[in-house]
């Protein structure tokens, strides 16, 4: 089966750094994705990890440890527009199915 | 704008009815995915098509069906609708079969009364 866990809500201050964790237990693994979703809008791609380590992309970084079934998304220099839901998704062994967590709702406060 | 289009944007219907949701992938994308997102749940993968063929099935009810046409657009058919089917339905596309990031359409909000 598939089980993906993320914190439900987080709050952080504008200009700060926040780390959103994701743990997963899946019957197969072929990559982990992070998406951002503003309320009522479509998810947009942020990052992708298939090997262990850190992937950096501007203000966003994502880390993966396959042995621990663990990933995090790091957001630096937080801006008000970063208030959104952040979805962790695991791609299965076949590469055809994606399993999403329920998302972490991040609120950035002044 | 992701380049993926979905119609209609909103749909209100009654229990027991049947509806069809339409999706046009980004130009050049061969793979289409359908997802359901309810208020209390995350994105639930329903089904995937690649170049006209069904390639993966997720938590899709038997009352739901989909197809991808030769021009690569896809339709999701929902029948015998129940109140619990009220949700946002997203279509996403990618270039290849599951090996690339997905680009999501704006979604169709279905309300079953």
């Amino acid at each position: 089966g598939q089980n993906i866990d993320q914190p439900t809500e987080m709050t952080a201050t504008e200009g700060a750094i926040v780390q959103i964790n994701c743990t997963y237990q899946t019957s197969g693994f072929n990559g982990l994705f992070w998406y951002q979703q503003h309320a009522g809008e479509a998810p947009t791609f942020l990052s992708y990890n298939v090997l262990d380590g850190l992937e950096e992309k501007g203000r966003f970084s994502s880390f993966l440890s396959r042995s621990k079934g663990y990933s995090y998304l790091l957001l630096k220099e937080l801006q008000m527009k970063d208030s959104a839901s952040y979805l962790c998704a695991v791609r299965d062994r076949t590469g055809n199915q994606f399993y999403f967590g329920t998302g972490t709702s991040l609120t950035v406060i002044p | 704008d992701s380049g993926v289009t979905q119609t209609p944007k909103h749909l209100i219907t009654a229990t027991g009815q049947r509806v069809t949701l339409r999706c046009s992938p980004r130009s050049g994308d061969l793979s289409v995915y359908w997802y359901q997102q309810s208020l209390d749940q995350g994105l639930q993968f329903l089904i995937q098509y690649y170049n006209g063929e069904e390639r993966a099935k997720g938590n899709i009810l038997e009352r739901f069906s989909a197809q991808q046409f030769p021009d690569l657009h896809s339709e999701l058919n929902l029948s015998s609708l129940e109140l619990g089917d009220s949700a946002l339905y997203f279509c996403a596309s990618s270039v290849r079969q599951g090996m690339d990031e997905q680009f999501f359409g704006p979604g169709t909000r279905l309300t079953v009364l």
Side-chain angles (χ1 to χ4, degrees):
Chain A
Q2 277 61 242
N3 191 32
I4 300 173
D5 287 318
Q6 305 177 234
T8 305
E9 294 178 337
M10 297 184 71
T11 302
T13 306
E14 190 176 14
I17 299 173
V18 70
Q19 177 175 313
I20 302 174
N21 296 325
C22 171
T23 58
Y24 63 89
Q25 292 175 317
T26 58
S27 54
F29 178 85
N30 193 4
L32 188 141
F33 294 74
W34 284 95
Y35 284 83
Q36 181 192 60
Q37 186 178 26
H38 286 97
E41 297 183 9
T44 54
F45 171 79
L46 289 178
S47 70
Y48 161 64
N49 296 71
V50 66
L51 299 176
D52 291 351
L54 188 69
E55 292 285 338
E56 297 188 76
K57 209 175 179 182
R59 293 190 301 115
F60 297 84
S61 304
S62 58
F63 172 83
L64 175 66
S65 168
R66 288 171 296 171
S67 62
K68 294 181 180 175
Y70 168 70
S71 173
Y72 68 71
L73 179 70
L74 197 69
L75 292 77
K76 304 174 191 172
E77 301 169 16
L78 279 171
Q79 303 174 8
M80 300 299 289
K81 68 177 182 179
D82 296 329
S83 292
S85 186
Y86 291 85
L87 311 176
C88 169
V90 171
R91 184 172 61 196
D92 78 342
R93 186 186 304 117
T94 69
N96 292 337
Q97 288 211 31
F98 290 78
Y99 300 96
F100 281 79
T102 51
T104 298
S105 178
L106 173 67
T107 302
V108 180
I109 57 176
Chain B
D1 185 354
S2 67
V4 179
T5 60
Q6 287 187 251
T7 56
K9 197 171 174 65
H10 300 279
L11 199 48
I12 301 174
T13 188
T15 54
Q17 295 299 304
R18 172 190 169 95
V19 297
T20 297
L21 313 184
R22 184 188 168 103
C23 167
S24 292
R26 291 188 322 156
S27 176
D29 284 1
L30 299 178
S31 213
V32 169
Y33 307 79
W34 285 98
Y35 292 90
Q36 179 192 59
Q37 188 174 41
S38 305
L39 272 175
D40 57 346
Q41 292 188 349
L43 275 168
Q44 300 289 316
F45 170 74
L46 296 178
I47 198 164
Q48 185 228 344
Y49 282 84
Y50 177 78
N51 204 20
E53 291 187 10
E54 180 187 307
R55 289 303 174 96
K57 242 179 179 177
N59 298 324
I60 187 166
L61 300 171
E62 285 191 13
R63 302 184 285 110
F64 295 1
S65 65
Q67 54 183 326
Q68 186 179 27
F69 295 87
D71 67 353
L72 301 177
H73 92 271
S74 178
E75 292 181 356
L76 179 67
N77 300 297
L78 315 176
S79 61
S80 303
L81 284 167
E82 302 175 0
L83 295 178
D85 298 327
S86 295
L88 256 176
Y89 290 84
F90 286 106
C91 164
S93 73
S94 66
V95 175
R96 294 176 292 174
Q97 191 174 210
M99 304 311 289
D100 299 283
E101 69 183 89
Q102 296 176 37
F103 294 87
F104 283 78
T108 293
R109 182 171 292 282
L110 173 67
T111 303
V112 183
L113 300 175

